[in-house]
């Protein structure tokens, strides 16, 4: 029986994962800014679920959450950094404060939590760190530059982490979901208060009031939760796992477009090495 | 003739690019935290070169530098976000203050410079923003997690920026240099004060592990950037060095293989309707 710590377990993918983990008989430490929102999970499984208040970015709460989880269940076997939110703004429209808050929640907060668990995982030479990224990491859409930046940063950090802790028996898994039928485009999406007219046809079209994708996303959060559990429990896992057919299409398009681009400029790219005479 | 503004023009790739830009007859706003290091450029080309102190972590100095460029040359045609430095630490070893400073210089600083330059570029309906990233944005090594994160953030932001400003006549180009013979491993490198023994081996701290020679020539890199920047259709992404190009292909092939291998799992999460 494994113990999972899942951040942002009050809604969406985090809530679906917490329900599935508890349903299969594992322990779950479910965190949310307000524990009222995860109380239902604890009431349903009082012996195996623990609710902990955690506002990502609050270092003291991060340390306390890890301590509470370890005290109650003895260890954390699987850490799932799921808490995060979106932010819509043209690069020029964003305010420094809004972007700082986004990075605190989507990048620095997860990093803080990640740094708390390796000591116990290194001792046991086992454990899994799951970082929930987004298809927005490989694909930069208008108005999503900062969100993409936080998720690309999360993936870049995770890649190095994987190479660092892999030899110590710890696995790192990045989840890249496409669009799922969660409240991501509703409650989880912030946007800039500043609007610049020049961006009406690009970033403006993706502001919340103009975005019609909500409610029609192709992904099923419960199925995503099952795939995450199977992957974490399984023998073989990729470093990066895409979720949803739309994610496959997008990643293939992005990979191909980058290859085409660098191939078109390969002649220039290869002119910069020192020649034999300079060595 | 166009006007370039280059951050971190005092050394390395920034310095080489500054020399190439002036050599090609362009006007240059050469910025550095300490302008002493670029004074010789101004002395040699007093009509074409303006030197301005700019620390990308000091928002006031950014606004002042862009204003000075407008006052002297009427605007900035090409902005080069080059200032930045490296940081080596296992993720677990990274110190919060160090990482915050790294992101200030390598990500939030360039964002602030871009935001300062955009109004002028939009008003004039043209401009090119060049963000110097690193092959490290895509190819991560142990100890390079935070540096890779900051550079990957720059590239992710740049992709959206490009889609936002292209319809307004502006261009965005990301440059991914491989390993160049600059001071990047010396003056431009920071590392964590805290080390954890468990990571000594994987970070190459065990015994003497010599780094390979840096095969890239900064002057040739500058010439390549200049060629791409002055092309009618500048590339969205320019990789510099044969090693980086090979690494890019290998990383893309690995990623594509993982997508194929786990495709059945990926598709199994779709809703029925």
């Amino acid at each position: 029986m494994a113990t999972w710590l899942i951040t942002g377990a009050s809604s969406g993918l985090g809530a679906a994962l917490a329900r599935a983990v508890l349903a299969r008989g594992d322990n779950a430490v479910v965190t949310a800014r307000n524990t009222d929102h995860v109380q239902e999970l604890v009431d349903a499984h009082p012996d195996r679920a623990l609710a902990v208040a955690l506002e990502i970015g609050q270092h003291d709460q991060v340390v306390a959450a890890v301590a509470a989880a370890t005290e109650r269940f003895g260890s954390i076997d699987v850490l799932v950094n799921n808490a995060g939110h979106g932010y819509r703004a043209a690069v020029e429209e964003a305010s420094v404060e809004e972007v700082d808050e986004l990075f605190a929640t989507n990048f620095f907060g997860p990093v803080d939590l990640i740094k708390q668990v390796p000591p116990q995982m290194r001792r046991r030479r086992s454990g899994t760190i799951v970082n929930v990224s987004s298809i927005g990491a490989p694909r930069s859409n208008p108005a999503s530059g900062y969100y993409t930046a936080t998720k690309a940063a999360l993936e870049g950090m995770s890649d190095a982490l994987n190479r660092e802790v892999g030899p110590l028996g710890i696995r790192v898994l990045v989840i890249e979901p496409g669009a799922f039928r969660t409240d991501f485009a509703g409650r989880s999406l912030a946007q800039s208060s500043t609007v610049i007219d020049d961006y009406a046809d690009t970033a403006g079209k993706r502001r919340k009031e103009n975005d019609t994708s909500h409610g029609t996303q192709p992904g099923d959060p419960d199925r995503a939760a099952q795939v995450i559990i199977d992957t974490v429990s399984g023998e073989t896992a990729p470093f990066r796992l895409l979720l949803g057919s739309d994610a496959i299409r997008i990643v293939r398009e992005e990979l191909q477009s980058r290859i085409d681009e660098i191939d078109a400029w390969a002649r220039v790219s290869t002119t910069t090495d020192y020649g034999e005479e300079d060595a | 003739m166009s006007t370039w503004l280059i951050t971190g023009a005092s050394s390395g790739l920034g310095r080489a690019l500054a020399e190439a830009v002036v050599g090609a007859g362009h006007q240059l706003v050469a910025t550095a935290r300490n302008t002493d290091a670029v004074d010789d450029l101004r002395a040699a080309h007093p009509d074409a070169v303006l030197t301005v102190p700019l620390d990308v972590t000091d928002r006031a100095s950014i606004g002042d530098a862009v204003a000075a460029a407008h006052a002297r040359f009427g605007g900035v045609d090409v902005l080069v976000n080059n200032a930045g430095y490296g940081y080596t630490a296992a993720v677990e070893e990274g110190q919060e203050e160090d990482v915050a400073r790294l992101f200030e210089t390598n990500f939030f600083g360039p964002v602030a410079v871009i935001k300062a330059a955009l109004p002028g570029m939009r008003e004039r309906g043209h401009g090119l923003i060049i963000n110097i990233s690193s092959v490290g944005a895509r190819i991560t090594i142990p100890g390079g997690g935070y540096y890779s994160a900051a550079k990957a953030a720059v590239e992710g932001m740049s992709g959206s920026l490009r889609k936002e400003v292209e319809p307004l006549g502006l261009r965005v180009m990301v440059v991914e240099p491989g390993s160049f013979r600059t001071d990047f491993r010396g003056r431009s490198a920071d590392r964590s004060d805290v080390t954890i023994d468990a990571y000594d081996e994987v970070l190459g701290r065990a015994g003497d592990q010599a780094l390979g020679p840096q095969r890239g020539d900064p002057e040739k890199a500058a010439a390549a950037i200049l060629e791409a920047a002055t092309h009618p259709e500048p590339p969205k992404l320019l990789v510099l060095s044969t090693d980086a190009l090979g690494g890019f292909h290998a990383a893309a092939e690995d990623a594509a293989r993982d997508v194929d291998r786990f495709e059945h799992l990926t598709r199994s999460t779709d809703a029925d309707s």
Side-chain angles (χ1 to χ4, degrees):
Chain A
M1 188 171 64
T3 298
W4 298 59
L5 190 154
I6 302 166
T7 68
S10 57
S11 66
L13 192 54
L17 183 59
R19 282 194 304 271
V21 160
L22 289 165
R24 79 194 291 263
D26 283 349
N27 301 320
V29 182
V30 288
T31 83
R33 273 176 291 192
N34 180 345
T35 53
D36 289 352
H37 297 144
V38 287
Q39 195 54 46
E40 204 177 312
L41 287 165
V42 177
D43 291 344
H45 306 275
D47 50 332
R48 288 184 291 106
L50 172 69
V52 179
L54 177 57
E55 174 148 16
I56 294 293
Q58 299 294 321
H59 177 71
D60 293 348
Q61 288 191 347
V62 167
V63 173
V66 170
T70 310
E71 190 188 326
R72 168 78 183 267
F73 297 117
S75 65
I76 296 169
D77 302 301
V78 187
L79 165 65
V80 183
N81 275 297
N82 163 73
H85 68 79
Y87 176 64
R88 297 274 164 91
V91 169
E92 192 182 350
E93 291 171 334
S95 81
V96 169
E97 296 72 28
E98 289 160 349
V99 173
D100 282 351
E101 188 279 330
L102 184 73
F103 268 79
T105 305
N106 288 9
F107 180 72
F108 294 111
V111 165
D112 194 11
L113 195 48
I114 286 165
K115 285 168 63 181
Q116 308 304 315
V117 297
Q120 55 166 282
M121 289 183 174
R122 286 195 280 110
R123 263 196 308 278
R124 298 194 309 271
R125 295 192 77 80
S126 80
T128 304
I129 297 169
V130 181
N131 292 331
V132 179
S133 177
S134 162
I135 198 62
R139 167 156 293 176
S140 304
N141 282 315
S144 292
Y146 296 100
Y147 177 73
T148 286
T150 61
K151 292 300 191 183
L154 185 69
E155 293 202 13
M157 178 275 296
S158 299
D159 193 351
L161 177 69
N162 184 39
R163 294 169 203 270
E164 290 158 6
V165 300
L168 309 176
I170 303 169
R171 291 208 303 189
V172 178
L173 176 64
V174 165
I175 304 288
E176 227 174 58
F180 274 75
R181 217 162 291 174
T182 66
D183 203 25
F184 183 81
R187 204 174 58 84
S188 297
L189 185 59
Q191 62 185 6
S192 66
S193 45
T194 300
V195 177
I196 297 173
D197 289 345
D198 267 356
Y199 299 112
D201 287 340
T202 51
K205 290 213 163 111
R206 302 192 71 246
R207 288 184 67 82
K208 291 177 80 164
E209 56 273 25
N210 301 327
D211 193 325
T212 56
S213 65
H214 191 34
T216 61
Q217 300 96 330
D220 178 339
D222 293 322
R223 291 183 181 179
Q226 201 52 54
V227 166
I228 293 171
I229 289 172
D230 291 347
T231 306
V232 167
S233 325
E235 289 294 312
T236 58
F239 161 67
R240 184 185 286 103
L241 178 65
L242 312 184
L243 295 182
S245 307
D246 54 335
I248 289 203
R249 176 181 54 78
I250 290 169
V251 167
R252 284 184 176 148
E253 283 172 11
E254 290 293 325
L255 284 171
Q256 192 57 51
S257 118
R258 276 173 214 161
I259 291 291
D260 291 348
E261 183 83 359
I262 67 161
D263 283 350
W265 283 80
R267 182 195 58 79
V268 175
S269 297
T270 52
T271 59
T272 64
D273 296 350
Y274 283 104
E276 297 291 329
E277 71 283 2
D278 307 309
Chain B
M1 185 180 66
S2 53
T3 301
W4 292 55
L5 188 155
I6 302 175
T7 68
S10 56
S11 66
L13 192 53
R15 171 74 197 208
L17 185 58
E19 289 174 8
V21 161
V22 174
H26 297 295
Q27 292 169 334
L28 171 68
V29 183
T31 81
R33 279 178 295 181
N34 181 346
T35 55
D36 289 354
V38 284
D39 270 345
D40 61 315
L41 276 174
R42 184 175 50 81
H45 307 274
D47 295 335
V49 176
L50 172 70
T51 62
V52 184
L54 189 159
D55 176 344
V56 297
T57 65
D58 172 358
R59 301 281 149 84
S61 79
I62 292 172
D64 291 350
V66 171
H70 277 259
R72 170 74 183 269
F73 298 121
V76 176
D77 300 308
V78 185
L79 165 65
V80 184
N81 275 302
N82 164 72
Y85 67 93
Y87 178 63
T88 301
V91 170
E92 190 182 348
E93 295 170 338
Q95 297 301 291
E96 194 181 346
E97 315 75 57
D98 292 347
V99 174
R101 192 167 59 238
L102 181 75
F103 269 76
E104 276 303 318
T105 302
N106 287 12
F107 179 75
F108 296 110
V111 165
V113 178
I114 288 166
K115 286 169 71 177
L118 276 175
M121 288 183 169
R122 281 195 290 116
E123 197 180 326
R124 295 185 300 135
H126 79 267
L128 169 65
I129 295 169
I130 301 177
N131 292 332
I132 307 292
S133 177
S134 162
V135 70
R138 206 168 307 279
I139 300 161
T140 303
I141 55 170
Y146 294 105
Y147 179 73
S148 285
K151 289 302 192 184
V154 167
E155 296 206 14
M157 177 274 299
S158 299
S160 294
L161 176 69
R162 181 170 51 75
K163 292 173 180 173
E164 290 158 8
V165 301
E166 265 184 359
L168 309 176
L170 279 56
R171 305 276 187 173
V172 178
M173 175 166 100
V174 168
V175 178
E176 270 188 21
S179 181
F180 279 78
R181 213 166 292 174
T182 65
D183 204 23
F184 186 76
R185 288 178 185 168
R187 203 175 61 85
S188 297
D190 188 15
R191 62 177 60 247
S192 168
D193 294 334
V194 174
T195 59
I196 297 170
D197 293 349
Y199 298 110
D200 281 353
E201 195 171 335
V202 73
L203 262 70
R205 290 191 296 239
D208 291 326
Q209 297 200 2
L211 290 164
Q214 293 152 310
R215 291 177 57 195
D217 179 342
E219 287 181 28
K220 291 180 179 174
I225 294 170
L226 194 58
E227 179 181 343
T230 50
H231 190 275
E233 294 283 336
K236 300 188 278 282
L237 177 64
L238 180 68
V239 175
L240 295 181
S241 90
T242 310
D243 285 352
L245 197 61
F248 190 105
H249 274 282
E253 282 158 22
D254 281 352
R257 202 174 308 120
D258 269 355
V259 171
D260 293 347
R261 195 167 152 225
F262 292 90
E263 180 165 358
H264 60 290
L265 271 182
T266 296
R267 291 195 187 279
S268 74
T269 64
D270 290 355
D272 291 328
S273 58

